[in-house]
Amino acid sequence: MNKLLQKAFDDSIAYRTSLENRRVFPDSKMLEEMKRLDMPLPEKPKEPGKILDLLSSAGSQGTVAVAGPRFFGFVIGGSTPVTLAANWLAGAWDQNCGMDTTSPVAAFVEEVSLKWLLQFFGFPSACGGAFVTGATMAGFACLAAARSHLLNRHGWNVEKQGLFGAPNINVVVSEEVHATILKALSMLGMGSERVTKIPTDKMGRMLIDKIPKPNGPTIICVQAGDVNSGCFDPIDEIINKFKSDDVWIHVDGAFGLWVLVSSKYKHLGKGIEKADSWSVDAHKWLNVPYDSGIAIVRNAEALRSAMSISTSYLKSTPGKRQPNEFTPELSRRARGVEIWTAIASLGREGIAEIIERTCSHAQKAARRLADAGYKVLNDVVINQVLVSFGSDEKTEKVIKAIQEDGTCWCGGTKWKGQTAMRISVCSWATTNEDMDKSLDAMIKCAKGID
Ligand SMILES: *Cc1c(COP(=O)(O)O)cnc(C)c1O
């Protein structure tokens, strides 16, 4: 055992150290190496050390260097060294986080982390919370709580009676809604197309005048941080105008919610604490290892009603918060360990520093690309930049050239009908030098297409 664990440890350190100079996306030769993992169907046991060596040498070739400093695709954080270390430790502990009887420590770090998160965000201390795989499942849990609560008010127990014949729930989303909210709605039987989509302004903010007056049970989903532009919906105005007992306001704050920790950026989330539920990722801006997100619900009982399991054998200590009463899953890894470690090690100042530094990197990227003659399509309010290099066709070619160059990695998107490259700066590891190096490479690639 010692030798195996020591090898994983040594190889992990060598891997993380190599990311500084490795190309971000594997080239075809590296991807070919990865294919060594496809062996004839294993029938007999093999020496674990050899298998670990194969996984390490061939598997690492097929990785994308998201843990390194120059990955700007999608919205993806790196993991700080101490949260990776905590992840190793939690892996060694191998805890089932479902109940305090399966792991007192896993249940306890969730309780402490949730308390800290609520304090950071300025939410009531009685909120319920679920530690799930990411914002997709966090949105799912929040919307399940919304569904449960709104129908309960109308004498309908959706957990027991199901949705057939239930009172209607209207769902209002932005036309820029993240696709995972629609997926959550589809999993909840509320339908991804049975929604009212509200048009947005140039930056992707919902036009409040276009939101119809709620009529009956209604869920309004707003965004704190659009996945493309980084913009925030006018959340305060929407809540003040529409909030009522029959209207549940959900905030998709997968990365944007973290601005609440920064005194410089928290104004963007004005009024957000008045919402009913919030989904947020830890594996993006908090920079913990995959996979990790949190659902937070003002009415903890609504979340518990939607998620709790009743059986005779799942006995746990009475009066204690039982993690599985709030999550879709029963058995689960101890995700709270990394979140606890991130918060304990960075503190409010450390988290705010990552947010402010990555936002300033994004602003620098926007300035340099504009100075080089390219068009930045969004107001760079936080860490997201959308850039067009000219025609849609040219922008696509430039994105491909940047990805092939390998110095950094950016993806593409469609923004208001136009092809754009997205730069999302989320990683704690990105330095000024990394930004310079990446921007030099981007501009060189773009010039090469002219
Ligand atoms: C990333 C993201 C999601 C989905 O989160 P996952 O962690 O991938 O499940 C939802 N909403 C927004 C705004 C996001 O940025």
Side-chain angles (χ1 to χ4, degrees), residues 398-419:
V398 175
I399 296 171
K400 193 155 173 273
I402 291 170
Q403 292 177 351
E404 279 170 7
D405 169 73
T407 306
C408 64
W409 199 95
C410 298
T413 190
K414 275 266 175 210
W415 181 248
K416 302 285 174 189
Q418 192 173 355
T419 298

Side-chain angles (χ1 to χ4, degrees), residues 134-136 178 180 225 227 252 254-255 281 283-284:
T136 304
H178 197 274
T180 57
V227 76
D252 177 359
F255 58 106
D281 267 317
H283 57 217
K284 290 177 179 169

Side-chain angles (χ1 to χ4, degrees), residues 133-186:
T133 48
T136 304
M137 285 313 285
F140 173 84
C142 289
L143 294 171
R147 185 183 71 161
S148 180
H149 175 76
L150 291 174
L151 291 179
N152 225 329
R153 293 191 69 249
H154 291 264
W156 191 271
N157 183 325
V158 70
E159 286 77 36
K160 292 190 174 148
Q161 293 170 271
L163 268 183
F164 300 109
N168 197 32
I169 298 178
N170 299 309
V171 181
V172 175
V173 300
S174 157
E175 73 179 2
E176 294 294 341
V177 64
H178 197 274
T180 57
I181 290 284
L182 300 177
K183 176 171 180 180
L185 290 168
S186 77

